[in-house]
Amino acid sequence: MSSTPYYCELSTEHRQQAQRHVAQIVEQAIEHPAGAPALIVFDTECPLAPLLADAYQAALPQAPRLEISTVSNEEVLARFAALPAGALVVLIQSTHFRLDAYRLRVQLFAQGLKVIEHVHLARMINAEAPRYIAALAYDADYYRGTGQALQARIASAPHARLISARGDVLHYGPLEPAKLNVGDYRQLNNIGGQFPIGEVFTEAIDLTSVHGRAQVYVFGDTTFHCNFPATPITIEVAAGRIVAVEDSTPEFDAVLARIREVEGEVWLRELGLGLNRAFDRENTVSDIGTYERLCGVHLSLGAKHGSYNKPQFKRKDTRFHIDVFVDIAGGVWLGEENLYQQGRWVV
């Protein structure tokens, strides 16, 4: 990456689109009452950050704004501490705020606050910022309906299969109860999270049931950016571990080597079903944590997956969770039903 990244110009239309989408998030996903306490904390290190701050100000006219470079960490934390339970905090970060709190969002949740978090906005280079803005659109019927339908299919499926572009198949046994990231917090203790959203995720109940082959067309590199190899990389999986690769690249080899150096072997864990229709094979972004929401399938390499406990892992020993994206052509089969066709979920 260049040390001086290029950011495309953001037009009045982009600003209006951001305002519409942010209003949907605040009103429909977070369900924050008009006039209720809120606080917007942002920086100005890339063009997208102040644009989003303006959009949230339009949705939350009562909310004070703190530009992070103009205040001390102690003042920001004091402003958080002064908020009443049920208030909304919006964190808009070109990189990631380095305050005293470890995992700031978790601390804010513990205080009873709602949180909307945008991170790594400086990675939205070239023409990526408009794609990020588009990905903030919140269609409650689509996200909640599709998410719940996939969750139900996962619960009843005796097995699953991913069929890649070359006809290779990755097989799964029964899957763990799926978790949703669809902007529906009505039954949850904590309200909010990192945006954009759109994901249903699970993993095999028995990780050793996973076997077969799959083509990877994007992976997270050692800098947490999306890496797009010229030719999809084939991974071969046996008993839940990667045992061979074909058409690899030095960057992918570096990821595998780093995992093996620390964890000994490369486990395959998360099975993520992304729902966000703003991202696809052509409409991409550089940040791996944002791109994982794309309408498609991603897996994780490494033993770390905090949402599911497995007896073979001690959490303190698990270090890596590297997203890779599967080039799906023949569908995502849950039992005998193909739920992913022509780049969209069919449920």
Side-chain angles (χ1 to χ4, degrees), residues 21 30 77 164 185 195 207 241 327:
H21 296 342
I30 304 301
L77 294 173
S164 294
Y185 308 105
F195 286 78
L207 295 177
R241 294 94 152 171
D327 187 4

Side-chain angles (χ1 to χ4, degrees), residues 67-199:
E67 201 278 285
I68 196 73
S69 70
T70 66
V71 292
S72 67
N73 287 0
E74 292 74 19
E75 182 176 346
V76 176
L77 294 173
R79 295 291 290 272
F80 291 153
L83 290 169
L88 171 62
V89 174
V90 180
L91 304 171
I92 303 170
Q93 304 154 89
S94 293
T95 53
H96 202 294
F97 293 154
R98 294 290 179 253
L99 301 175
D100 291 342
Y102 173 70
R103 296 200 68 184
L104 177 59
R105 188 172 73 215
V106 175
Q107 176 174 309
L108 296 176
F109 281 151
Q111 190 181 327
L113 302 176
K114 306 170 185 176
V115 182
I116 296 172
E117 189 172 28
H118 299 270
V119 299
H120 302 309
L121 298 178
R123 294 179 182 171
M124 307 306 149
I125 59 173
N126 301 321
E128 295 176 6
R131 298 170 190 167
Y132 185 96
I133 293 169
L136 297 177
Y138 186 66
D139 182 338
D141 291 340
Y142 165 70
Y143 277 124
R144 298 179 184 187
T146 303
Q148 291 168 3
L150 287 172
Q151 185 180 48
R153 301 295 207 289
I154 287 169
S156 62
H159 50 74
R161 291 175 290 149
L162 310 180
I163 303 180
S164 294
R166 299 174 189 168
D168 285 336
V169 182
L170 190 62
H171 298 269
Y172 286 77
L175 300 171
E176 294 277 10
K179 300 180 185 293
L180 304 182
N181 179 5
V182 295
D184 186 357
Y185 308 105
R186 292 172 294 181
Q187 305 301 319
L188 302 180
N189 293 328
N190 299 323
I191 298 175
Q194 183 175 316
F195 286 78
I197 53 117
E199 184 182 0

Side-chain angles (χ1 to χ4, degrees), residues 64 129 206 244 249 308:
D206 176 5
T249 65
Y308 299 102

Side-chain angles (χ1 to χ4, degrees), residues 282-298:
E282 287 72 43
N283 294 294
T284 65
V285 289
S286 298
D287 178 52
I288 196 75
T290 300
Y291 190 58
E292 73 169 317
R293 312 303 190 201
L294 97 157
C295 195
V297 176
H298 63 274

